[in-house]
Amino acid sequence: MSIILKSNQLTVVVSTKGAELQSIQKTDTGAEYLWQGDPTYWNRKAPVLFPIVGRLKDNQYTYKGQSYTMNQHGFARDAVFTVLEETENRVTLQFKANEETKKAYPFDFSLCITYTVMEDKVSVEYAVQNTNESEVLYFSIGGHPGFNVPLTEDTAFEDYYLSFLPRKSRKQIPLSGPFADPAQTTLAQTNTTLRLSRELFENDALVFEVKEKNTFSILSDKTERSVSVMFENYPYVGIWSVPGKEAPFVCIEPWHGIADTVDATGDLEDKLGIRSLPGKETFTTSYTIQLT
């Protein structure tokens, strides 16, 4: 089922499958900013990453001595969510642990995702609740929205660049295959702009450590159209487009979590970036997409 949200500037569509954004359009022009999911490149649009971010070694992890299998980015992106509340510009969707999820993830949880459309912005809020009284909940969560690049027919992919606020250098964690390699961390030049090119993604995603408030933007000197993703207190952000293909999109992905490291033990409690949530507590976080 699709839910349509509106402000005076935007028309936004959200699906109950995966609680995934399906469209972000400027109402006056009909211009589409969200990637529309061509399987030639990548058939998703803005999946929610939960209860892991990235890939596990052999798609497996251990918890309390038992082994579990889970595919990349977890199962929330394929789950059917229930609509809890809906207004003209806001919707909250929920997915809860069940018998099927516990085969891969032995925890009690409630995941609520709220989309709010305000003027030229879309707010995305995650609320993860540990519904068990006595067990600690171990999880990761993140966004994966893809944006059309180019944003106009008369511009090209290489006409765009990434801009970072605040303008400062950030640590970049390289990937070795699909896995993070923190031992090879470098200092990235995010104190300046970064021109988009196909070579930029030849080793897959760019992964940065981030702190406090950040705004990552896709801009061009040839058009006024742009996309900015604003987030606060996320430890990581990924920037991704499909390696080796002329994929006409770029993802900006705020993460509370990261892929397994090259030397990961597989123990969920020791996983880099994993969050822990005591019984009956709730973790909330959000990010905002702004369009011009």
PDB file of all heavy atoms in Angstrom, residues 20 31 43-44 108 113 150 163 236 244:
ATOM      1  N   GLU A  20       9.386   2.184   2.958  1.00  0.00           N
ATOM      2  CA  GLU A  20      10.390   2.776   2.075  1.00  0.00           C
ATOM      3  C   GLU A  20       9.822   3.948   1.291  1.00  0.00           C
ATOM      4  O   GLU A  20       8.729   3.872   0.726  1.00  0.00           O
ATOM      5  CB  GLU A  20      10.901   1.715   1.094  1.00  0.00           C
ATOM      6  CG  GLU A  20      12.015   2.211   0.185  1.00  0.00           C
ATOM      7  CD  GLU A  20      12.565   1.100  -0.709  1.00  0.00           C
ATOM      8  OE1 GLU A  20      12.043  -0.031  -0.645  1.00  0.00           O
ATOM      9  OE2 GLU A  20      13.510   1.371  -1.468  1.00  0.00           O
ATOM     10  N   ALA A  31       9.212  17.554 -10.740  1.00  0.00           N
ATOM     11  CA  ALA A  31      10.580  17.038 -10.786  1.00  0.00           C
ATOM     12  C   ALA A  31      10.774  15.973  -9.708  1.00  0.00           C
ATOM     13  O   ALA A  31      10.467  16.193  -8.536  1.00  0.00           O
ATOM     14  CB  ALA A  31      11.577  18.171 -10.591  1.00  0.00           C
ATOM     15  N   ASN A  43      17.644  -2.019  -7.701  1.00  0.00           N
ATOM     16  CA  ASN A  43      16.185  -2.028  -7.786  1.00  0.00           C
ATOM     17  C   ASN A  43      15.483  -1.443  -6.566  1.00  0.00           C
ATOM     18  O   ASN A  43      14.260  -1.444  -6.506  1.00  0.00           O
ATOM     19  CB  ASN A  43      15.672  -3.446  -8.053  1.00  0.00           C
ATOM     20  CG  ASN A  43      15.960  -4.407  -6.909  1.00  0.00           C
ATOM     21  OD1 ASN A  43      16.665  -4.060  -5.964  1.00  0.00           O
ATOM     22  ND2 ASN A  43      15.439  -5.612  -6.993  1.00  0.00           N
ATOM     23  N   ARG A  44      16.247  -0.928  -5.608  1.00  0.00           N
ATOM     24  CA  ARG A  44      15.628  -0.285  -4.445  1.00  0.00           C
ATOM     25  C   ARG A  44      15.725   1.225  -4.573  1.00  0.00           C
ATOM     26  O   ARG A  44      16.394   1.745  -5.476  1.00  0.00           O
ATOM     27  CB  ARG A  44      16.257  -0.796  -3.155  1.00  0.00           C
ATOM     28  CG  ARG A  44      16.097  -2.309  -2.965  1.00  0.00           C
ATOM     29  CD  ARG A  44      16.675  -2.779  -1.652  1.00  0.00           C
ATOM     30  NE  ARG A  44      16.681  -4.226  -1.538  1.00  0.00           N
ATOM     31  CZ  ARG A  44      15.731  -4.949  -0.962  1.00  0.00           C
ATOM     32  NH1 ARG A  44      14.668  -4.341  -0.430  1.00  0.00           N
ATOM     33  NH2 ARG A  44      15.821  -6.264  -0.885  1.00  0.00           N
ATOM     34  N   ASP A 108      13.252  -9.219  20.995  1.00  0.00           N
ATOM     35  CA  ASP A 108      11.940  -8.575  20.963  1.00  0.00           C
ATOM     36  C   ASP A 108      12.143  -7.087  20.687  1.00  0.00           C
ATOM     37  O   ASP A 108      12.903  -6.422  21.399  1.00  0.00           O
ATOM     38  CB  ASP A 108      11.223  -8.751  22.304  1.00  0.00           C
ATOM     39  CG  ASP A 108      10.939 -10.213  22.616  1.00  0.00           C
ATOM     40  OD1 ASP A 108      10.371 -10.893  21.743  1.00  0.00           O
ATOM     41  OD2 ASP A 108      11.283 -10.666  23.723  1.00  0.00           O
ATOM     42  N   ILE A 113       8.821   4.029  12.190  1.00  0.00           N
ATOM     43  CA  ILE A 113       9.432   4.984  11.265  1.00  0.00           C
ATOM     44  C   ILE A 113       8.404   6.054  10.951  1.00  0.00           C
ATOM     45  O   ILE A 113       7.275   5.738  10.552  1.00  0.00           O
ATOM     46  CB  ILE A 113       9.915   4.286   9.984  1.00  0.00           C
ATOM     47  CG1 ILE A 113      10.908   3.182  10.344  1.00  0.00           C
ATOM     48  CG2 ILE A 113      10.532   5.298   9.029  1.00  0.00           C
ATOM     49  CD1 ILE A 113      11.329   2.328   9.176  1.00  0.00           C
ATOM     50  N   PRO A 150      22.044  12.741 -12.941  1.00  0.00           N
ATOM     51  CA  PRO A 150      21.742  14.165 -12.835  1.00  0.00           C
ATOM     52  C   PRO A 150      20.300  14.442 -12.412  1.00  0.00           C
ATOM     53  O   PRO A 150      19.434  13.591 -12.535  1.00  0.00           O
ATOM     54  CB  PRO A 150      21.995  14.678 -14.260  1.00  0.00           C
ATOM     55  CG  PRO A 150      21.717  13.485 -15.130  1.00  0.00           C
ATOM     56  CD  PRO A 150      22.193  12.298 -14.346  1.00  0.00           C
ATOM     57  N   SER A 163      29.243  18.363  -1.344  1.00  0.00           N
ATOM     58  CA  SER A 163      29.648  19.418  -0.428  1.00  0.00           C
ATOM     59  C   SER A 163      29.388  18.961   0.998  1.00  0.00           C
ATOM     60  O   SER A 163      28.381  18.290   1.265  1.00  0.00           O
ATOM     61  CB  SER A 163      28.857  20.702  -0.717  1.00  0.00           C
ATOM     62  OG  SER A 163      29.141  21.705   0.229  1.00  0.00           O
ATOM     63  N   TYR A 236      28.430   7.192  11.546  1.00  0.00           N
ATOM     64  CA  TYR A 236      28.940   6.899  10.205  1.00  0.00           C
ATOM     65  C   TYR A 236      27.977   7.434   9.148  1.00  0.00           C
ATOM     66  O   TYR A 236      26.774   7.576   9.383  1.00  0.00           O
ATOM     67  CB  TYR A 236      29.086   5.387   9.982  1.00  0.00           C
ATOM     68  CG  TYR A 236      29.867   4.662  11.037  1.00  0.00           C
ATOM     69  CD1 TYR A 236      29.203   3.919  12.024  1.00  0.00           C
ATOM     70  CD2 TYR A 236      31.255   4.696  11.064  1.00  0.00           C
ATOM     71  CE1 TYR A 236      29.912   3.247  13.002  1.00  0.00           C
ATOM     72  CE2 TYR A 236      31.973   4.018  12.044  1.00  0.00           C
ATOM     73  CZ  TYR A 236      31.294   3.299  13.012  1.00  0.00           C
ATOM     74  OH  TYR A 236      31.993   2.634  13.985  1.00  0.00           O
ATOM     75  N   GLY A 244      31.385   0.350 -11.302  1.00  0.00           N
ATOM     76  CA  GLY A 244      31.526  -0.256 -12.615  1.00  0.00           C
ATOM     77  C   GLY A 244      30.354  -0.076 -13.557  1.00  0.00           C
ATOM     78  O   GLY A 244      30.312  -0.689 -14.619  1.00  0.00           O
TER      79      GLY A 244
END
